[in-house]
Amino acid sequence: MPGTVITGAQWGDEGKGRFTDYLAERSDLVVRYQGGHNAGHTIVVDGTTFKLQLVPSGILYEHVTPVIGNGVVVDPIVLLKELDLLASQGLNTSRLRVSGNAHVIMPYHQEIDRLTERYLGKNKLGTTKRGIGPCYADKALRVGIRMQDLLDEKILRAKLETVLREKNLVLAKVYNRPGYDIEELMQTYLALVPRLEPMLDDTVHLVHKALDDGKEVLFEGAQATFLDLDHGTYPYVTSSNPIAGGACPGAGIGPRALTRIIGVAKAYVTRVGAGPFPTELPLEEGDVAYAPGTSDEIISRDMEIGNFLVDRGREFGTNTGRRRRPGWLDCVMLKHAVRLNTCTEIALCKLDVLGGLDEVKICVAYETPDGKRIDHVPYHQSAFHEVKPVYETLTGWDKDIEDTANFSDLPANAKAFINRVEAIVGVPVTFASTGPARDHTVVMPRS
Ligand code: GDP
Ligand code: IMO
Ligand code: MG
């Protein structure tokens, strides 16, 4: 039985967690394949909110085996805290399997993440400061510590000795900061082993066994296409490959194991952290560079809508609390995401948030500074910084579509919005959502 991938089609926080949870009901394994606790996936079930960072969104179902794949970077302290929190919310977390090959985020990774951001000053990336980039960098440099290394005191000591020699020098000489004591680190991490060891597994074998046995395997991406290290808006990206293809190295499968690829998009766009954003709407004066001569009326209307999206969509980071930058739906980017991921379909989230606006805009092309209209994402970053969105304006729909879980009950203009998105990006919208809860999921009639 081939697998399904759920991946973010924008800049993150599209609602991957809620759609993963929805599809997990019919899945046997839910496998995270990249990222770490920079992710925040929110799921609302029967009035209870679950906020997941590392644990796959399949954890909420007793019949699902949640798997943290080899491509994930794991802070074991955060993982255990998250499991404790979920247990306190009444969940059985004992089924979680964690790859022995997943790399460990150590305290020095988090410290270096914080320090490099500070060092970059106004050029900072706005990372989540969770140590993600430095941990993946050490993996690539081949000086990383893997989960399995924690199980062998001798190996752990040898690896830490090598890596700390360099880290402590950098911390002292470049950043004028104290280094890390190997004995303290050994003590802290070895103390976690009794709880971690029973979770560690050969997750590649687990995934293949499930696929061979005809089970449903769902691969859950974190972050998103335009935060992808290779295909995102570099350097304003994360340090892994969230695109669907990332499930191959991140979980140990080949492309033939995947048939269904769901790109999750919001009905508008948000972004946290720095980087270009063509359809961005200002929250405050100066947030967005307008063409000279743009009227105050347009700027203030845009600001009103930007603030409306943040307030109505509650656009604040799930675990960092940072306010997200809002903007209109960018179908040029979405079409590009469909290509990069070979999406078979789109899940369109947060339709309810647009409810009540008289007009809803969709970006269908870009205009370059020399007045040319293009309908693709320019490969050159400077060009992408300079494009202006070309909008198509659609009529809005009634405010109250929260709780509408049937396509036929959606207002005609909301249906027209969905149909227009499908026509532009070239694949069907198979799910939409009209509220944060599990039962606010609209399954489109043909799926
Ligand atoms: P993820 O990182 O892609 O899993 O998304 P997040 O969980 O970080 O962000 C999505 C936010 O939108 C969460 O707070 C969800 O509870 C909320 N949400 C999800 N679907 C909907 C929806 O259809 N309508 C509304 N109003 N909120 C939603
Ligand atoms: P989910 O899975 C939104 C952003 C950060 C920053 C950039 C690099 O909830 O969609 P990092 O800490 O990864 O080195 O930060 O990536 N970022 C996210 N933005 N949602 C996420 O995850 C994100 N994970 C990282 O804000 O701009
Ligand atoms: Mg999120």
Side-chain angles (χ1 to χ4, degrees), residues 15 18 24 78 94 149 202 221 265 326 339 352 355 424:
R18 61 99 26 91
V78 172
S94 66
D149 299 329
D202 178 351
R339 268 188 165 178
D352 55 304
I424 298 170

Side-chain angles (χ1 to χ4, degrees), residues 11-13 16 38-41 126-128 223 227 237-238 272-273 322:
W11 274 298
D13 304 322
K16 297 173 293 291
N38 47 349
H41 300 170
T127 75
T128 59
Q223 290 80 54
L227 289 173
V237 293
T238 192
V272 215
R322 289 183 294 170

Side-chain angles (χ1 to χ4, degrees), residues 13-18 40-42 318 324 349-350 352 433 435:
D13 304 322
E14 298 93 344
K16 297 173 293 291
R18 61 99 26 91
H41 300 170
T42 317
T318 299
R324 298 171 181 152
C349 199
K350 292 194 150 187
D352 55 304
S433 70

Side-chain angles (χ1 to χ4, degrees), residues 131-424:
I132 307 295
C135 182
Y136 276 116
D138 277 0
K139 176 178 176 177
L141 282 170
R142 291 151 297 175
V143 293
I145 312 264
R146 292 169 304 169
M147 292 298 281
Q148 60 177 291
D149 299 329
L150 301 179
L151 306 185
D152 187 317
E153 198 175 329
K154 254 207 209 135
I155 290 178
L156 181 62
R157 180 177 294 280
K159 292 200 170 189
L160 274 177
E161 267 169 5
T162 309
V163 77
L164 282 181
R165 215 174 296 140
E166 189 247 359
K167 297 293 174 213
N168 284 348
L169 259 181
V170 170
L171 286 169
K173 304 273 183 207
V174 180
Y175 298 111
N176 196 23
R177 304 285 300 173
Y180 286 84
D181 177 52
I182 189 163
E183 298 310 329
E184 264 178 45
L185 287 182
M186 290 288 293
Q187 210 180 351
T188 306
Y189 287 85
L190 290 175
L192 306 177
V193 170
R195 279 195 73 190
L196 293 175
E197 191 169 12
M199 294 175 208
L200 297 195
D201 216 326
D202 178 351
T203 55
V204 172
H205 172 72
L206 277 183
V207 167
H208 281 276
K209 173 104 181 47
L211 290 168
D212 291 347
D213 291 348
K215 303 241 169 96
E216 281 279 347
V217 183
L218 190 57
F219 297 92
E220 179 186 17
Q223 290 80 54
T225 303
F226 294 101
L227 289 173
D228 185 276
L229 182 58
D230 287 82
H231 298 284
T233 46
Y234 190 91
Y236 303 104
V237 293
T238 192
S239 300
S240 64
N241 291 113
I243 54 167
C248 293
I253 49 161
R256 281 203 300 143
L258 304 172
T259 49
R260 197 172 171 198
I261 295 167
I262 305 172
V264 183
K266 265 184 224 186
Y268 50 99
V269 180
T270 61
R271 168 164 212 174
V272 215
F277 184 173
T279 63
E280 182 170 14
L281 291 163
L283 294 169
E284 287 156 32
E285 254 168 74
D287 277 351
V288 174
Y290 282 92
T294 308
S295 76
D296 287 349
E297 198 185 325
I298 291 180
I299 298 173
S300 97
R301 175 73 183 144
D302 280 0
M303 216 181 296
E304 201 182 304
I305 294 168
N307 283 294
F308 170 88
L309 293 177
V310 168
D311 291 346
R312 191 101 191 276
R314 298 206 182 92
E315 295 298 350
F316 294 89
T318 299
N319 64 55
T320 61
R322 289 183 294 170
R323 187 168 67 176
R324 298 171 181 152
R325 298 156 62 193
W328 290 117
L329 180 63
D330 186 337
C331 280
V332 180
M333 293 187 76
L334 191 54
K335 200 165 65 171
H336 192 52
V338 166
R339 268 188 165 178
L340 286 168
N341 294 292
T342 58
C343 289
T344 52
E345 60 208 273
I346 294 289
L348 198 59
C349 199
K350 292 194 150 187
L351 270 182
D352 55 304
V353 175
L354 297 182
L357 292 172
D358 356 322
E359 288 183 339
V360 173
K361 291 188 185 179
I362 297 180
C363 171
V364 292
Y366 297 139
E367 194 180 292
T368 61
D370 55 358
K372 274 200 206 109
R373 183 182 162 126
I374 54 171
D375 65 356
H376 62 274
V377 176
Y379 85 93
H380 202 291
Q381 188 86 7
S382 308
F384 189 60
H385 269 278
E386 288 172 351
V387 293
K388 295 284 169 237
V390 176
Y391 288 116
E392 204 171 278
T393 303
L394 279 67
T395 313
W397 52 87
D398 284 350
K399 189 170 174 187
D400 237 352
I401 62 166
E402 189 157 348
D403 297 331
T404 310
N406 287 318
F407 179 73
S408 54
D409 295 338
L410 285 176
N413 290 339
K415 289 179 187 163
F417 177 85
I418 295 173
N419 293 149
R420 190 66 193 120
V421 172
E422 291 177 317
I424 298 170

Side-chain angles (χ1 to χ4, degrees), residues 23-88:
L23 289 170
E25 189 176 9
R26 283 182 280 143
S27 306
D28 300 289
L29 251 65
V30 177
V31 188
R32 267 281 300 268
Y33 58 87
Q34 45 68 232
H37 66 299
N38 47 349
H41 300 170
T42 317
I43 302 169
V44 181
V45 183
D46 298 333
T48 305
T49 300
F50 299 93
K51 289 178 191 282
L52 303 167
Q53 293 182 269
L54 269 167
V55 175
S57 302
I59 190 82
L60 271 62
Y61 288 100
E62 270 292 333
H63 69 274
V64 169
T65 304
V67 176
I68 293 183
N70 55 277
V72 177
V73 285
V74 179
D75 180 331
I77 298 170
V78 172
L79 176 64
L80 295 177
K81 269 199 198 139
E82 186 173 335
L83 291 173
D84 288 343
L85 180 67
L86 292 171
S88 75

